[in-house]
Amino acid sequence: MSSSGAKDKPELQFPFLLDEETVTTLQECKTLFILRGLPGSGKSTLARIITDKYRDGTKMLSADAYKITPGSRGAFSEEYKRLDEDLAACCRRDIRVLVLDDTNHERERLEQLFEMADQYQYQVVLVEPKTAWRLDCAQLKEKNQWQLSADDLKKLKPGLEKDFLPLYFSWFLTKKSSESLHKAGQTFLEELGNHKAFRKELRQFVSGDEPREKIDLVIYFGKRPPGMLHCTTKFCDYGKAAGAEEYAQQDVVKKSYCKAFTLTISALFVTPRTTGARVELNEQELLLWPNDVDKLSPSDSLSRGSRAHITLGCANDVEAVQTGIDLLEIVRQEKAGSRGEEVGELHRGKLYSLGNGRWMLNLAKKMEVRAIFTGYYGKGKLVPTHSSRKGGTLQSCTIV
């Protein structure tokens, strides 16, 4: 179905069907669309429309094709095993758009799918039909192909009445943009590590009394967050975090889900704990930015979006959340009137020493990166990229 045709149908109002920039951007990603909904609600129709929209490089897998009757998964363990084996095979082939059509009403089942998406580096988009009858069991009784009764449908309904919230909402960079930003970040680390001003301040990065003349910062920042490079907006903890439900229910969040954005990178920074990219949000992007995350203390009055960043790497035993805290400390210092000492020029711009092992590279030409706004639903553990080396150093930071 064409975009113009979809615009006339309220049940097809999704950015990934209507917004051509989003369609183009998704061509640069690996995306797993997970359809959720009661039998007869319009999932299969929607799954076919997504598949038709993205055509080449797309694969749809439907529970119907495996003769799985909606309900308890226990009676269809072998069928689900075959479905998951086929889904994993598609992931290994790096098929750009995967569409999974099933009720997906059980948290345990969704967690299995999220784990697979993590394993193969797919971003996840949860899609539920917008049909008027999607939760009306009386109508669904007449529409579902399995001849399920209204009582049967009501048993499935509780798992679908409430939105499944992610660990966090983020803008996830496309593969091409991730590689470009990773390359810029790695070049920055290599240049900084060799810079004479930095080498004079190595004590901030070396533990103990061992004298060191140089440090490999690429190895030092050897852990990265799971999944693709991303700029987090709201930490939800699957709905348990304060304000998570309210954030997810905002109209702008719902309308922006799985929509493409172009983020602007204005600087790269390093502290003894983290390295990241500073993100400059525009007015549209700020609408998705929470009101309460740009503070280190209640008395802070930093500009909205001050914390916006992309974590590029973390030192040993440091959580990715620290990157945003490090950036806020830098912004707070800037607001107090201290932008650091200019110590030289690197490949992409001017280098500033901010004290206490903190360094900022202000980009002479800001970088633009393409991203999709969606949720991260996995377990959220830092991912090592290569086998550990002896001596306490970490793994090299790469983008998979």
Side-chain angles (χ1 to χ4, degrees):
M1 178 178 289
S2 67
S3 296
S4 57
K7 286 178 182 177
D8 298 330
K9 296 181 177 293
E11 64 270 24
L12 298 179
Q13 301 300 301
F14 296 96
F16 54 80
L17 294 178
L18 299 178
D19 183 58
E20 288 306 319
E21 183 183 351
T22 297
V23 174
T24 300
T25 303
L26 283 170
Q27 312 283 3
E28 301 175 15
C29 306
K30 293 197 303 181
T31 306
L32 173 59
F33 286 95
I34 299 178
L35 277 291
R36 299 181 73 223
L38 290 169
S41 61
K43 297 187 308 300
S44 297
T45 299
L46 185 53
R48 285 192 295 271
I49 291 171
I50 296 172
T51 305
D52 290 344
K53 183 70 177 178
Y54 291 89
R55 298 181 180 274
D56 298 335
T58 306
K59 176 71 175 177
M60 179 177 74
L61 292 93
S62 173
D64 293 352
Y66 295 81
K67 309 300 182 186
I68 296 172
T69 303
S72 173
R73 288 184 299 118
F76 298 94
S77 57
E78 288 301 313
E79 289 82 356
Y80 271 109
K81 182 179 178 182
R82 289 199 297 274
L83 170 58
D84 287 354
E85 287 172 349
D86 290 346
L87 179 59
C90 291
C91 291
R92 286 193 292 272
R93 287 161 52 197
D94 286 336
I95 292 176
R96 189 177 62 249
V97 174
L98 294 176
V99 183
L100 181 61
D101 176 19
D102 195 5
T103 56
N104 291 311
H105 61 289
E106 296 175 317
R107 175 176 286 272
E108 182 183 355
R109 172 58 178 161
L110 287 170
E111 288 177 348
Q112 291 175 351
L113 297 172
F114 300 152
E115 185 175 345
M116 190 182 299
D118 262 6
Q119 182 181 355
Y120 294 104
Q121 297 289 292
Y122 275 77
Q123 66 185 9
V124 169
V125 177
L126 296 181
V127 184
E128 299 183 20
K130 295 184 178 181
T131 50
W133 62 87
R134 63 188 179 276
L135 293 173
D136 187 335
C137 292
Q139 288 195 61
L140 292 170
K141 173 188 173 185
E142 307 300 325
K143 292 179 178 291
N144 83 87
Q145 64 169 312
W146 300 101
Q147 299 180 335
L148 296 178
S149 68
D151 286 340
D152 292 331
L153 293 163
K154 286 177 182 176
K155 292 176 183 177
L156 304 177
K157 193 174 176 181
L160 295 163
E161 288 181 304
K162 195 174 182 182
D163 290 340
F164 193 103
L165 297 191
L167 181 61
Y168 50 78
F169 285 101
S170 284
W171 289 287
F172 289 88
L173 273 60
T174 66
K175 181 181 178 183
K176 183 178 180 181
S177 288
S178 286
E179 289 173 347
S180 176
L181 181 54
H182 168 63
K183 183 178 179 180
Q186 196 159 28
T187 299
F188 171 46
L189 293 180
E190 290 168 352
E191 290 183 329
L192 179 62
N194 287 318
H195 198 280
K196 59 182 181 181
F198 176 79
R199 290 166 72 171
K200 290 179 181 178
E201 302 293 333
L202 275 184
R203 64 184 183 279
Q204 301 285 348
F205 292 81
V206 178
S207 60
D209 298 324
E210 180 185 354
R212 295 281 291 276
E213 295 183 0
K214 189 177 178 182
I215 187 172
D216 189 334
L217 289 175
V218 175
I219 293 176
Y220 181 89
F221 293 113
K223 286 193 174 182
R224 58 175 174 79
M228 291 69 66
L229 286 182
H230 60 273
C231 176
T232 297
T233 59
K234 175 65 177 177
F235 176 74
C236 295
D237 196 15
Y238 316 106
K240 292 179 284 187
E245 295 278 357
E246 293 81 358
Y247 178 84
Q249 291 303 316
Q250 290 182 72
D251 192 51
V252 67
V253 173
K254 288 181 172 291
K255 288 182 176 178
S256 299
Y257 187 72
C258 196
K259 183 178 179 181
F261 290 80
T262 300
L263 302 180
T264 299
I265 309 298
S266 62
L268 303 175
F269 61 91
V270 158
T271 78
R273 295 166 294 195
T274 63
T275 180
R278 189 172 186 172
V279 179
E280 203 173 84
L281 300 177
N282 62 28
E283 289 184 12
Q284 183 187 21
E285 291 151 3
L286 282 171
L287 295 175
L288 292 165
W289 195 254
N291 293 318
D292 58 350
V293 296
D294 298 307
K295 293 176 179 288
L296 287 171
S297 67
S299 61
D300 279 342
S301 58
L302 304 178
S303 300
R304 191 172 182 186
S306 292
R307 189 175 184 148
H309 69 280
I310 296 169
T311 297
L312 299 178
C314 298
N316 195 14
D317 297 325
V318 175
E319 299 291 334
V321 68
Q322 184 65 45
T323 315
I325 297 171
D326 287 354
L327 178 56
L328 285 179
E329 289 176 347
I330 291 171
V331 175
R332 179 194 269 178
Q333 179 176 321
E334 290 176 345
K335 187 177 181 182
S338 175
R339 294 184 174 271
E341 176 190 358
E342 183 181 338
V343 294
E345 191 120 5
L346 300 186
H347 173 64
R348 285 184 173 267
K350 293 181 179 179
L351 178 65
Y352 291 83
S353 171
L354 306 174
N356 298 317
R358 297 173 301 166
W359 304 82
M360 179 79 78
L361 175 66
N362 287 339
L363 300 180
K365 182 180 180 181
K366 295 176 182 179
M367 294 180 66
E368 291 190 340
V369 292
R370 291 157 70 99
I372 295 290
F373 180 73
T374 185
Y376 172 76
Y377 299 88
K379 296 299 183 184
K381 296 179 180 178
L382 286 169
V383 179
T385 56
H386 292 138
S387 60
S388 297
R389 302 183 182 187
K390 294 181 179 179
T393 55
L394 300 180
Q395 299 90 334
S396 175
C397 179
T398 60
I399 303 305
V400 180

